[in-house]
Amino acid sequence: MAHTDQTGRRVLRREIAGTIGLLTDEHDFRAMRRYRSFTFDDHAAYLHQVEALLRSRASQGTHTSVALFDPEEYADFCSATGLDPDAAASRTRFTAELAASGPTVPYEGQPLADLLPDLVDEAVRQATREYASTLLARLGNCATCGEDLGRAAFTRATRLLVRILETAPPGNRHLVCSVSGSPETLVAVLYADEDIDGTPHIDEAETLEFTSVLALGLATHSPGGLVMRISTPGGPDRIHGWRLRGYGLEPLTAGEVFDAYCTDADSGDLISPESNVDYCAPPDLGDDHLPPGHHH
């Protein structure tokens, strides 16, 4: 009976998903060393041990996600919940919270050196999405008609994005939206790779972030732009662009797209154009067929 129980527990372990809170850089690692219960003393050795653990769990058929462990957020969490920050159980509780609401990346056998940039990128995407959403929510309602300004802008941005993807030439699309503001410029990236049937495949989280940033630019009439790069096998890449203007997107001419890509943003010096790249005017979005958006 004991042997059967042990076998059953081994089987159940493979059914349990886990999350590891990872200290990605030396600065965060040093911040955690102030806790006596955190016994690692070398960041490189720590990362090596984490990678070995991930490989071990994967070899046993156990799914593991990796979360970004932020020491400052951890200290705030312990203060708010009354937990002792110098306890492994508290770190476990915090990691469980990260698994539920924070940025995570699944471990799929990739080297840790490849996983770390993906994890940091995911954290930046989530922070950008939450920041843009917060600013949209603060816009409140229109004093004239009572419409939710942030929601109206998000709806407008969604329809614009759909039209961009619908009218784009075939190929894998890489879109970047940037909105200038205070205290910093927000940048969102969206990949829309074509499936076999030509349907664009897009990540839901990326789409939400991209749409939120675009909506914020529209709602606040902030300076900004949107560029789309289309890649097809065997052919040149095509680059299209729009500037944010009022409550919509104004197409850039081929010359304006060329100037934007071939001018250093800081110095104003010319940059050699990329080889095998065509700088093109964007397709007509048919914006006159879209709802005009909020103009009060």
Side-chain angles (χ1 to χ4, degrees):
M1 181 67 179
H3 175 72
T4 303
D5 289 344
Q6 291 175 2
T7 301
R9 284 194 292 270
R10 283 198 298 270
V11 172
L12 285 173
R13 286 193 189 99
R14 293 197 294 268
E15 303 290 330
I16 300 174
T19 302
I20 293 177
L22 184 64
L23 298 160
T24 58
D25 61 51
E26 184 75 34
H27 178 269
D28 287 346
F29 181 82
R30 287 199 303 269
M32 289 303 295
R33 288 197 61 203
R34 66 189 179 200
Y35 302 120
R36 295 181 60 186
S37 61
F38 185 79
T39 57
F40 292 95
D41 57 11
D42 181 82
H43 189 232
Y46 160 81
L47 293 177
H48 178 76
Q49 292 294 330
V50 169
E51 187 163 21
L53 177 60
L54 290 170
R55 286 198 303 266
S56 174
R57 288 175 58 85
S59 69
Q60 298 168 8
T62 302
H63 174 80
T64 310
S65 295
V66 181
L68 192 65
F69 195 105
D70 185 295
E72 291 186 7
E73 291 182 2
Y74 171 65
D76 292 341
F77 172 79
C78 290
S79 177
T81 56
L83 295 174
D84 177 9
D86 197 358
S90 300
R91 293 192 289 275
T92 302
R93 282 275 302 277
F94 178 65
T95 301
E97 293 287 331
L98 293 177
S101 60
T104 61
V105 172
Y107 177 72
E108 298 173 331
Q110 68 271 49
L112 197 58
D114 294 338
L115 185 147
L116 289 180
D118 291 341
L119 180 58
V120 173
D121 287 346
E122 180 60 30
V124 171
R125 281 195 295 269
Q126 179 167 321
T128 300
R129 182 171 64 249
E130 292 176 351
Y131 181 66
S133 298
T134 298
L135 293 183
L136 285 171
R138 289 178 180 172
L139 295 176
N141 298 331
C142 174
T144 301
C145 68
E147 184 176 16
D148 186 311
L149 296 175
R151 185 176 302 161
F154 190 87
T155 300
R156 170 76 169 168
T158 299
R159 288 169 172 157
L160 283 170
L161 177 58
V162 168
R163 287 298 296 155
I164 289 172
L165 296 177
E166 285 178 345
T167 59
N172 294 330
R173 298 87 181 246
H174 175 207
L175 293 86
V176 179
C177 179
S178 61
V179 173
S180 300
S182 178
E184 58 185 333
T185 296
L186 294 182
V187 179
V189 177
L190 176 64
Y191 293 92
D193 293 341
E194 279 193 342
D195 291 335
I196 297 177
D197 62 357
T199 303
H201 173 75
I202 55 179
D203 179 81
E204 183 177 346
E206 280 187 5
T207 304
L208 180 58
E209 176 204 10
F210 191 92
T211 309
S212 298
V213 171
L214 176 57
L216 183 63
L218 296 174
T220 58
H221 293 192
S222 299
L226 191 158
V227 294
M228 174 174 61
R229 187 176 190 129
I230 303 174
S231 302
T232 54
D237 285 3
R238 296 168 56 91
I239 298 179
H240 308 274
W242 297 262
R243 67 171 56 89
L244 272 65
R245 180 62 59 86
Y247 210 67
L249 296 173
E250 181 181 273
L252 299 177
T253 66
E256 288 174 323
V257 176
F258 178 89
D259 290 342
Y261 265 81
C262 300
T263 304
D264 186 278
D266 295 324
S267 66
D269 295 336
L270 294 178
I271 303 172
S272 298
E274 295 183 60
S275 60
N276 205 34
V277 170
D278 291 337
Y279 303 92
C280 313
D284 181 11
L285 299 182
D287 196 37
D288 54 318
H289 299 300
L290 288 168
H294 200 280
H295 287 290
H296 295 301

